[in-house]
């Protein structure tokens, strides 16, 4: 799960794909920043991460027991193209997608996870899953942009979405007969990798004939290999993670996941967090997003204690990184959930309140946790009224006065719940 992907990172990924992609997939020319829709979370330009951040904001709210705002869910559903895929962001969702629309496996996978969790969106989920299957590469994996070479991060997030939607990744096969897991495990570094500390890690993509270890890809691959999505419950059993032991190259996804989290656990020991060398920097800096993902991956594999120091580091150091950023805040909410930590008291920050403040407020709830709109609808059904007012007495009076039955039908119609 590469939840922390920024707009810049997504833009770079898209640009890298342009050379190998068909003309229809080429990135569009820069355009003025779009006007932000009221249902969208976050105030920054959503061109490269609108669907991604929206999906995880809704998923995080749902995970803590909130019912997202109807307009927020409607915005996400409205971003889906007719064939089932999602672009990173479509400023005008009323316009039909065309061959120039750059559909995005990462955005689609994130949306599938969110819509599946929220419920009531089976058709959208199925269309998303079917589209993801249709763009599987022959090697069994997926690319960020369909039609380009597979990468470990995209393959992982798609596998997670398929698993959440009820699919069996081992049975999802390409036209060449390669399964999704075969596509994923091809990116794992085995016992011939140097340095030895990289063994068990996953690489993003080969570069100059080499496959460098990549923490983002490794954390995402661990979740995918375990058949889990972004939402991970705190483990009941807790053991320390172990570094990968030879021989490697197992075709067992669960064993591959343990190798991946073993690498992450060792990487976290040095500073209590992961680091990354950003463009233009002389020295590596703390990588907050990947650290959060590593904690979730370790918890998913049953090794919460191996993530304890990183969790404490996140509590003390993530506030500035996540401020006003719905994807980052959602990542931390899911980190708290995976470790049994209170997201409303995460290092002195109420992550839930901070996330809610970046977009439309969740639906109000009664003291028993039932959304007020839902409770009102149920009451309306019981006493024969609609959300716009009781109508049975109107029907009775209308019937007596010879009013047409159309009034009754109009008065009782309700909007679909999202």
């Amino acid at each position: 799960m590469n939840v922390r992907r920024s707009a810049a990172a997504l833009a770079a990924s898209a640009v890298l794909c342009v050379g190998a992609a068909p003309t229809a997939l080429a990135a569009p020319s820069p355009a003025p920043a779009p006007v932000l829709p009221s249902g969208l979370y976050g105030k920054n330009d959503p061109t490269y991460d609108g669907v991604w951040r929206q999906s995880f904001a809704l998923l995080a709210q749902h995970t803590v027991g909130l019912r997202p705002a109807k307009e927020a869910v409607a915005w996400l559903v409205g971003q889906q193209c007719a064939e089932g895929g999602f672009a990173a962001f479509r400023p005008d969702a009323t316009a039909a997608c065309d061959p120039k629309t750059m559909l995005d496996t990462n955005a689609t996978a994130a949306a599938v996870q969110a819509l599946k969790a929220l419920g009531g969106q089976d058709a959208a989920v199925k269309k998303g899953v079917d589209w993801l299957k249709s763009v599987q590469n022959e090697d069994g994996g997926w690319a960020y942009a369909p039609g380009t070479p597979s990468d470990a991060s995209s393959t992982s997030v798609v596998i997670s979405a398929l698993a959440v939607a009820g699919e069996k990744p081992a049975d999802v096969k390409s036209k060449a007969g390669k399964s999704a897991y075969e596509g994923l495990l091809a990116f794992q570094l085995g016992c011939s990798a140097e340095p030895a500390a990289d063994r068990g890690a996953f690489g993003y993509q080969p570069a100059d004939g080499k496959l460098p270890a990549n923490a983002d890809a490794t954390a995402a691959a661990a979740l995918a290999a375990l058949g889990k999505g972004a939402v991970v419950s705190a483990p009941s059993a807790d053991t320390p993670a172990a570094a990968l032991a030879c021989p490697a190259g197992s075709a067992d996804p669960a064993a591959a996941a343990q190798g991946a989290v073993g690498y992450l656990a060792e990487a976290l020991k040095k500073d209590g967090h992961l680091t990354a060398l950003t463009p233009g920097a002389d020295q590596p800096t703390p990588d907050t997003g990947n650290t959060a993902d590593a904690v979730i991956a370790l918890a998913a594999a049953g090794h919460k204690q191996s993530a304890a120091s990183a969790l404490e580091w996140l509590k003390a150091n993530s506030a500035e990184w996540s401020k006003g950023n719905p994807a980052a805040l959602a990542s931390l909410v899911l980190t708290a959930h995976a470790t049994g930590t209170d997201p409303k008291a995460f290092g002195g920050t109420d992550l839930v309140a901070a996330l809610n403040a970046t977009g439309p407020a969740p639906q109000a709830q009664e003291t028993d946790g039932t959304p007020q709109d839902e409770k009102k609808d149920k009451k309306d059904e019981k006493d024969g009224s609609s959300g716009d007012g009781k109508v049975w007495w109107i029907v009775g009076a209308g019937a007596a006065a010879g009013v047409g039955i159309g009034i009754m039908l109009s008065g009782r119609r309700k909007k679909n719940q999202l």
Side-chain angles (χ1 to χ4, degrees), residues 53 65 124 155 211 219 225 318 338 360 371:
R53 76 196 196 199
T155 299
L211 185 63
S318 62

Side-chain angles (χ1 to χ4, degrees), residues 83-122:
E83 57 264 58
F86 286 74
F89 173 71
R90 294 198 295 133
D92 182 9
T94 63
C97 300
D98 59 33
K100 293 183 179 180
T101 303
M102 183 175 166
L103 299 182
D104 170 355
T105 61
N106 288 231
T108 303
V112 165
Q113 289 197 55
L115 296 176
K116 178 65 177 181
L118 295 175
Q121 301 293 341
D122 290 350

Side-chain angles (χ1 to χ4, degrees), residues 31-414:
V35 176
L36 299 183
S38 60
L40 179 66
Y41 283 83
K43 304 303 180 185
N44 293 333
D45 184 354
T47 298
Y48 299 107
D49 76 336
V51 168
W52 181 270
R53 76 196 196 199
Q54 187 83 351
S55 298
F56 280 96
L58 301 182
L59 192 59
Q61 287 180 332
H62 174 78
T63 300
V64 297
L66 297 177
R67 186 166 183 178
K70 292 181 178 180
E71 61 266 37
V73 180
W75 182 87
L76 179 59
V77 174
Q79 288 286 301
Q80 189 173 36
C81 293
E83 57 264 58
F86 286 74
F89 173 71
R90 294 198 295 133
D92 182 9
T94 63
C97 300
D98 59 33
K100 293 183 179 180
T101 303
M102 183 175 166
L103 299 182
D104 170 355
T105 61
N106 288 231
T108 303
V112 165
Q113 289 197 55
L115 296 176
K116 178 65 177 181
L118 295 175
Q121 301 293 341
D122 290 350
V125 170
K126 185 179 185 305
K127 285 172 62 178
V129 167
D130 289 346
W131 181 79
L132 289 171
K133 288 181 178 180
S134 75
V135 296
Q136 185 178 18
N137 285 337
E138 289 194 357
D139 62 9
W142 282 265
Y144 170 79
T148 63
S150 300
D151 67 80
S153 293
S154 297
T155 299
S156 296
V157 74
V158 170
I159 289 176
S160 288
L162 293 174
V164 167
E167 299 287 332
K168 294 181 179 180
D171 295 337
V172 177
K173 297 184 177 181
S174 69
K175 293 179 180 178
K178 295 286 188 178
S179 76
Y181 278 141
E182 288 180 277
L184 176 63
L185 299 190
F187 290 100
Q188 187 166 35
L189 281 67
C191 289
S192 62
E194 293 294 341
D198 287 350
R199 296 170 186 175
F202 281 72
Y204 176 77
Q205 257 181 348
D208 298 325
K210 298 180 180 180
L211 185 63
N214 182 285
D216 174 20
T218 302
L223 287 181
L226 291 168
K228 296 181 182 293
V231 179
V232 172
S233 297
S236 55
D238 189 9
T239 60
L244 179 68
C246 293
S250 170
D252 178 12
Q258 293 301 328
V261 296
Y263 163 82
L264 293 172
E266 289 297 314
L268 289 171
K269 286 181 179 179
K270 182 179 179 181
D271 301 305
H273 61 81
L274 299 176
T275 60
L277 185 62
T278 56
D282 295 328
Q283 297 294 329
T285 56
D287 188 338
T288 311
N290 273 333
T291 299
D293 286 354
V295 170
I296 294 174
L298 283 160
H303 309 308
K304 189 174 71 170
Q305 61 179 288
S306 293
S309 62
L311 177 63
E312 293 307 311
W313 184 87
L314 286 170
K315 290 179 181 179
N317 295 278
S318 62
E320 187 62 30
W321 169 75
S322 62
K323 186 176 181 180
N325 184 330
L329 289 164
S331 175
L332 293 175
V333 169
L334 297 176
T335 300
H337 183 75
T339 57
T341 306
D342 184 359
K344 296 183 178 180
F346 193 87
T349 299
D350 185 340
L351 298 173
V352 178
L355 174 60
N356 293 345
T358 66
Q363 296 182 51
Q365 295 181 320
E366 300 288 355
T367 55
D368 64 356
T370 304
Q372 288 181 353
D373 287 351
E374 180 179 299
K375 180 170 286 190
K376 185 173 185 295
D377 285 347
K378 290 181 178 179
K379 180 178 181 297
D380 291 343
E381 291 172 2
K382 182 177 180 181
D383 63 16
S385 64
S386 76
D388 296 326
K390 295 183 178 180
V391 299
W392 285 111
W393 66 272
I394 296 177
V395 173
V403 178
I405 193 169
I407 295 178
M408 178 181 71
L409 295 176
S410 175
R412 295 192 64 195
R413 185 177 296 124
K414 298 179 181 180

